């Protein structure tokens, strides 16, 4: 069953056939204490401490929080405020100077035969190794894997849609880490005692689809589902509607309809944590746009944008806009002194980006209403937000907006509808 609305922006999956590469280890990494949904982590190291690659450097503050580990061996040089790519302001980060040796902690683990362990033991391990959702939201995985007792989980969905233009890191992960993905899915199904696993792939990633189909051919309770490409299919509610024809209620969660859903790369991270004992210290991201050295790269968490620019020889004088994430939902960065975090799925460089300063009156064409996947009225939201009629804004459910950007994309009057809704949410929350 298709979800309503949505658009078909130009895909620009230029790096789809680029194998995952690596870059040299940077001299410094900057590890934000807030790179997950929830409370910032609490540092357990201090300036001057020597740390190994994979060593825990910060612990969670409460249930909805996450652990943090060093992606390099070296010395903690300071804990200072550094620009945050999502919060767009300075925030505390642990700065580590690499000694260039990449000396690791002992990754050996007793959890290899995961089916011998209880859900609680495995969830604690996932929490301890700092796994969060890698699709962008960075929700701590241990929380999603601990539904209340009255919530029965029937389905676990691996989201391989990657519907944002340009981004191809999930596609490459599905092709190059298909075994880890399928095993990660089985681990999660074991934890949740789920009946069925479904890996969903859009039909512009046929190589990934074929690879995964082969991998699960002998596993009866895992299915690969091929769906027609459409934006924003990767959004949780839209994907559940598409695959299972279930509606997640307004303000509700996938677990309310018996589903737990993770991005494909998150399952690989869960596999690495449980079977290999490796914490979340690096991730695959796409680097693309108007630059020569594009690709998909496995980079250490905390690598500074300026180091990536230098290593890839990118001439930023020709670049007008840099976005972390995809062009539809990503966040424009104002400084090269910004590190990547666990949720950074891509870095896009654009040279011909035009900033729209002016916008026009709504012509009531209703195009934004047609494409809104949440069945909202973006035209009225935009209008009432412009005139600061907050009581009226509330009537049109701004908090159901998933900030997909479809409305702004089609608006002929070039109204900045998503930016207006984000602003309204912050005002109403206050
Ligand atoms: S109102 Fe929100 S959910 Fe609807 S199209 Fe616009 S950004 Fe997407
Ligand atoms: S698309 Fe733009 S012009 Fe058309 S109804 Fe929506 S806000 Fe108005």
């Amino acid at each position: 069953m298709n979800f309503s609305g949505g658009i078909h922006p130009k895909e620009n999956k230029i790096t789809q056939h680029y194998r995952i590469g690596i870059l040299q280890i940077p001299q410094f990494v900057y590890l934000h204490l807030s790179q997950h949904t929830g409370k910032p982590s609490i540092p357990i190291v201090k300036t001057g401490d020597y740390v190994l690659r994979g060593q825990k450097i910060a612990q969670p503050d409460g249930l909805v929080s996450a652990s943090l580990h060093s992606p390099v061996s070296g010395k903690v040089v300071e804990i200072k405020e550094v620009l945050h790519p999502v919060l767009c302001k300075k925030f505390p980060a642990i700065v580590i100077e690499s000694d260039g040796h990449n000396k690791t902690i002992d990754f050996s683990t007793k959890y290899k035969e995961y089916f011998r362990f209880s859900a609680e033991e495995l969830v604690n391990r996932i929490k301890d190794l700092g796994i969060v959702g890698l699709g962008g939201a960075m929700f701590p995985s241990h929380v999603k894997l601990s539904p209340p007792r009255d919530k029965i989980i029937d389905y676990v969905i691996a989201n391989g849609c990657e519907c944002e233009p340009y981004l191809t890191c999930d596609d490459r992960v599905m092709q190059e880490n298909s075994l880890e993905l399928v095993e990660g899915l089985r681990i999660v199904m074991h934890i949740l005692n789920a009946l069925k696993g479904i890996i969903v792939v859009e039909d512009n990633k046929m190589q990934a689809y074929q690879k995964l189909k082969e991998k699960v051919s002998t596993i009866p309770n895992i299915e690969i589902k091929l769906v027609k490409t459409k934006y924003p299919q990767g959004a949780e509610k839209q994907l559940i509607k598409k695959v299972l024809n279930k509606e997640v209620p307004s303000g509700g969660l996938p677990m309310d309809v018996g589903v737990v859903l993770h991005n494909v790369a998150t399952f690989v991270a869960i596999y690495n944590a449980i079977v290999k004992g490796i914490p979340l210290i690096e991730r695959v991201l796409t680097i693309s746009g108007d630059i020569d050295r594009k690709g998909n790269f496995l980079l250490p968490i905390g690598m500074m944008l300026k180091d990536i620019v230098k290593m890839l020889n990118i001439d930023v004088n020709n670049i007008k806009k840099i976005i972390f994430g995809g062009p539809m939902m990503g966040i424009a960065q104002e400084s090269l002194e910004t590190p990547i975090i666990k949720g950074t799925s891509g870095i896009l460089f654009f040279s011909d980006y035009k900033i729209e300063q002016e916008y026009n009156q709504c012509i009531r064409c209703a195009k934004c209403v047609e494409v809104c996947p949440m069945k909202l009225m973006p035209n009225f939201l935009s209008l009432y937000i412009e005139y600061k009629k907050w009581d009226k804004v509330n009537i049109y459910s701004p908090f159901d907006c998933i900030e997909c950007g479809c409305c702004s994309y089609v608006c002929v009057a070039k109204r900045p509808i998503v930016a207006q809704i984000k602003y309204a949410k912050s005002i109403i929350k206050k």
Side-chain angles (χ1 to χ4, degrees), residues 361-368 379 407 410-413 415 417:
Q361 287 303 310
C362 170
I363 58 161
R364 301 180 182 211
C365 65
K367 281 197 171 129
C368 57
N379 48 347
C407 49
V410 297
C411 179
V412 282
R415 295 179 70 78
I417 310 173

Side-chain angles (χ1 to χ4, degrees), residues 368 371-374 376 378 381 400-407 418 421:
C368 57
V371 299
C372 178
M374 294 304 294
L376 303 179
L381 279 165
D400 278 346
C401 168
I402 57 168
E403 301 173 10
C404 66
C406 291
C407 49
V418 201
I421 296 174

Side-chain angles (χ1 to χ4, degrees), residues 33 47 78 81 93 106 154 187 194 204 250 279 310 316 352 371:
L33 294 174
T47 302
E78 60 183 325
E81 299 228 314
D106 179 6
D154 296 317
I187 294 169
N204 59 357
S250 170
K310 195 169 163 203
V316 281
D352 63 350
V371 299

Side-chain angles (χ1 to χ4, degrees), residues 184-285:
L185 176 55
R186 293 176 92 178
I187 294 169
V188 172
M189 288 168 68
H190 168 72
I191 291 172
L192 296 167
N193 201 16
L195 296 175
K196 191 161 183 185
I198 307 172
I199 306 175
V200 193
V201 185
E202 285 192 332
D203 63 2
N204 59 357
K205 304 171 193 62
M206 288 310 290
Q207 277 170 318
Y209 171 72
Q210 296 297 356
K211 191 89 193 238
L212 288 164
K213 211 168 160 53
E214 249 170 63
K215 276 276 175 308
V216 303
S217 58
T218 54
I219 309 174
N221 56 352
I222 296 186
E223 179 194 347
I224 309 292
K225 206 162 177 78
L226 190 68
V227 294
K228 264 187 126 29
T229 302
K230 184 180 175 187
Y231 179 85
Q233 196 140 237
E236 281 187 347
K237 290 183 179 179
Q238 282 60 36
L239 193 57
I240 292 168
K241 174 74 183 165
K242 174 84 184 183
V243 175
L244 299 169
N245 196 20
K246 286 175 184 260
E247 299 263 2
V248 179
S250 170
L253 294 169
M255 67 172 72
D256 296 328
V257 291
V259 181
V260 161
L261 186 146
H262 283 297
N263 166 272
V264 282
T266 313
F267 287 102
V268 175
I270 288 172
Y271 170 86
N272 285 337
I274 296 296
V275 178
K276 294 185 175 168
I278 304 174
L280 184 50
I281 51 176
E282 53 195 14
R283 68 155 297 148
V284 181
L285 62 153

Side-chain angles (χ1 to χ4, degrees), residues 120 162 346:
E120 196 186 348
E162 199 172 47

